[in-house]
Amino acid sequence: PQTSAPIMNPIKFLISLLLVLLPAVQASEVFVEAESFKSSGGWVELTGPSAREASGLAVLNGASGAKDGVATTTVSIKDAGRYRIWTRFGSHPKWRGPFHLTALAGGRVLGDGLFDAEFEGKSARDSQTWSSFEVDLPEGEVTLRLSKHENKNASGITRQVDCLLLTMDTKL
């Protein structure tokens, strides 16, 4: 005789589905490609072979140019609260290109992360890495600013920023 799998009650199925999806729905997220930042000098978009591992096939490079140059973008935060700002960038095993990512609102610094102060990649062949910092963000407009650590330039193969993810999801 043939046996069939028990049929789940539709109400139980919907409740189970909601319990699985609810945390993802509640976690506010903003994704930003670094090449969408506007540069005041010292940060340029790179494409081609040097950006082959990038999410959008382009990176924002701050290795040369104006030492005090910054790159900024503005994001809209839907839900005020504690965020983790993840940054994906290249980290070369030999060369450093430390940089800061700063979150600001109303001209006030809300938080700052220092990236690539030490090698954070897996290997020379897999040098793209994610690193983050936590910050409390208000609802509304928040400015993200990339700047060169100690206003110093670096090797051309360093300080290549791919993208950012701002999330309230503490599990990421």
Side-chain angles (χ1 to χ4, degrees):
Q2 281 188 328
T3 59
S4 60
I7 298 174
M8 181 180 265
N9 177 327
I11 300 297
K12 284 184 179 179
F13 173 75
L14 287 175
I15 291 172
S16 298
L17 186 62
L18 281 174
L19 289 174
V20 169
L21 295 178
L22 196 56
V25 171
Q26 289 179 339
S28 188
E29 293 183 347
V30 178
F31 180 80
V32 182
E33 289 284 1
E35 58 271 20
S36 69
F37 279 58
K38 303 292 181 236
S39 175
S40 68
W43 292 84
V44 296
E45 180 180 338
L46 293 182
T47 59
S50 60
R52 69 184 173 277
E53 295 178 16
S55 59
L57 298 179
V59 294
L60 192 63
N61 180 279
S64 60
K67 293 179 180 180
D68 60 350
V70 298
T72 59
T73 194
T74 302
V75 295
S76 292
I77 301 299
K78 184 176 70 171
D79 301 309
R82 189 78 171 163
Y83 281 77
R84 181 173 295 272
I85 301 180
W86 287 97
T87 305
R88 185 172 190 254
F89 60 96
S91 184
H92 190 276
K94 185 176 179 183
W95 308 105
R96 301 278 52 82
F99 64 94
H100 289 270
L101 174 65
T102 308
L104 307 103
R108 189 172 64 95
V109 172
L110 305 173
D112 180 87
L114 174 63
F115 298 91
D116 201 34
E118 60 187 42
F119 178 60
E120 298 180 51
K122 294 178 183 149
S123 70
R125 291 183 183 209
D126 186 11
S127 62
Q128 292 294 312
T129 191
W130 287 92
S131 191
S132 68
F133 68 97
E134 290 188 4
V135 61
D136 291 319
L137 298 179
E139 182 179 339
E141 301 294 305
V142 170
T143 298
L144 301 174
R145 179 180 65 205
L146 289 166
S147 61
K148 300 173 183 188
H149 182 57
E150 298 177 341
N151 290 336
K152 293 181 179 176
N153 282 331
S155 167
I157 60 173
T158 64
R159 204 176 281 144
Q160 295 187 8
V161 184
D162 179 17
C163 57
L164 295 87
L165 176 67
L166 291 71
T167 182
M168 294 179 91
D169 188 343
T170 58
K171 295 178 185 171
L172 288 180

